[in-house]
Amino acid sequence: YHNDLFCLTGTRLAPKEKLDIPVLFMPDTMKTYKAVVVIHVMRGNGENWPYEDSAELNKDLESSVTVAENGGIQGILWIYPVHGIPEAPQQKLVPAVVRCQARQRVERRVEVLLTGVVPGANAMPAARNSAMVNTNKPANIQEEVQVTDGFSTTVEFLYELQYQSNDIKSQLGALVGMHLIQRERDTESGIITLIFNIVFAPNKPMRNEATLVVQCTTGGVWKFPMLFIATEPEVDDVINIEAVGLDKESIVGFKLTSQTR
């Protein structure tokens, strides 16, 4: 972190005047950074604020004021904790496409690459991310769950699918399932590979975009575009109506069953 607090020393503010405190965040590794911005205010005429010196009040003000020798309040402190979470550069990635026919169910493997996850000799700065769909591997989740040698089990990941609107979220929320089934780290490059199992069971034709967001508990956010496509369903049945003659009605009956109430 770098802040310009020191250059603001001695700044005078009129009543109800606003003051902006610029804070610049330039992370070089994918980890969480923490800082504290402290604002110390004193009266312009050099006088102190009087207050009643009681044990209860003194305890409450201990961390937010500076007390002068005569017992008055010399300065007031505002303390703002700031957490910096670096986000991988946004690139024009090809979306990972999950395609399924409406009223069917499909499972796909989505593989994403995370760079610069664990700071150290083998870690690399965040530079490039990629995502792709593997449709050849069998969808056996239990056999695929593993952590390869050299990967620290203390590094955990949080992930979710984010949608462009609440309407799209309400449509896809119950139709898409996602589970992290494998993770491995390349000891030479420091790149971590996460493999997700995506289940898509659409009930009607649609085409919606989503973003796979991955966050490491040690800090860092990666985003990968995804596209869910549901094609037209198969025809339910063919109804044949045989004519009984010219200018005469022919009637055929069939049943419709609702999937919901």
Side-chain angles (χ1 to χ4, degrees):
Y1 268 112
H2 171 71
N3 65 69
D4 298 321
L5 182 60
F6 295 103
C7 70
L8 298 175
T9 302
T11 301
R12 290 183 174 271
L13 295 179
K16 298 183 179 182
E17 185 178 355
K18 295 181 179 180
L19 174 65
D20 293 328
I21 307 296
V23 177
L24 177 64
F25 181 43
M26 297 181 62
D28 56 359
T29 55
M30 296 295 285
K31 67 177 182 179
T32 300
Y33 295 82
K34 298 181 179 180
V36 177
V37 177
V38 180
I39 313 299
H40 188 198
V41 176
M42 295 176 290
R43 298 181 68 171
N45 56 11
E47 298 180 358
N48 300 328
W49 288 281
Y51 77 103
E52 297 180 2
D53 189 6
S54 63
E56 182 178 356
L57 184 61
N58 201 11
K59 182 179 179 181
D60 295 337
L61 296 178
E62 184 176 352
S63 60
S64 59
V65 301
T66 54
V67 181
E69 296 180 357
N70 59 4
I73 296 178
Q74 185 179 16
I76 301 176
L77 296 174
W78 281 269
I79 302 175
Y80 299 94
V82 181
H83 292 183
I85 302 177
E87 182 174 320
Q90 292 293 317
Q91 301 181 21
K92 294 182 179 179
L93 302 177
V94 177
V97 180
V98 180
R99 187 187 303 270
C100 180
Q101 190 176 29
R103 297 206 298 265
Q104 298 294 325
R105 181 181 183 273
V106 68
E107 292 191 25
R108 291 289 183 267
R109 300 295 176 87
V110 175
E111 179 179 305
V112 299
L113 303 181
L114 311 181
T115 56
V117 176
V118 182
N122 295 328
M124 297 177 62
R128 181 183 180 186
N129 303 321
S130 65
M132 61 182 179
V133 173
N134 187 342
T135 60
N136 298 324
K137 295 183 179 179
N140 191 329
I141 295 178
Q142 296 300 326
E143 293 182 358
E144 291 292 338
V145 176
Q146 60 177 331
V147 178
T148 59
D149 294 337
F151 185 86
S152 175
T153 57
T154 59
V155 179
E156 300 295 336
F157 297 93
L158 305 175
Y159 54 90
E160 67 171 342
L161 281 174
Q162 294 182 354
Y163 306 97
Q164 294 179 334
S165 65
N166 291 332
D167 293 338
I168 297 179
K169 182 178 181 180
S170 62
Q171 293 180 25
L172 284 179
L175 307 178
V176 178
M178 181 176 59
H179 181 61
L180 176 61
I181 60 175
Q182 184 176 338
R183 53 183 182 174
E184 58 184 15
R185 180 187 179 195
D186 188 295
T187 55
E188 294 183 359
S189 64
I191 296 178
I192 290 180
T193 301
L194 300 183
I195 300 178
F196 294 89
N197 188 71
I198 305 291
V199 179
F200 185 35
N203 55 5
K204 62 181 179 180
M206 65 178 64
R207 183 186 179 94
N208 289 320
E209 298 178 353
T211 301
L212 172 57
V213 180
V214 180
Q215 181 174 358
C216 182
T217 54
T218 60
V221 176
W222 296 260
K223 295 182 179 181
F224 305 93
M226 297 194 65
L227 179 60
F228 292 90
I229 300 176
T231 58
E232 292 288 341
E234 294 182 357
V235 175
D236 294 286
D237 199 0
V238 177
I239 301 173
N240 293 317
I241 304 177
E242 184 177 351
V244 297
L246 294 176
D247 297 327
K248 294 183 179 180
E249 292 183 352
S250 297
I251 299 175
V252 63
F254 57 91
K255 295 182 179 180
L256 296 178
T257 302
S258 176
Q259 298 296 325
T260 62
R261 297 177 62 89

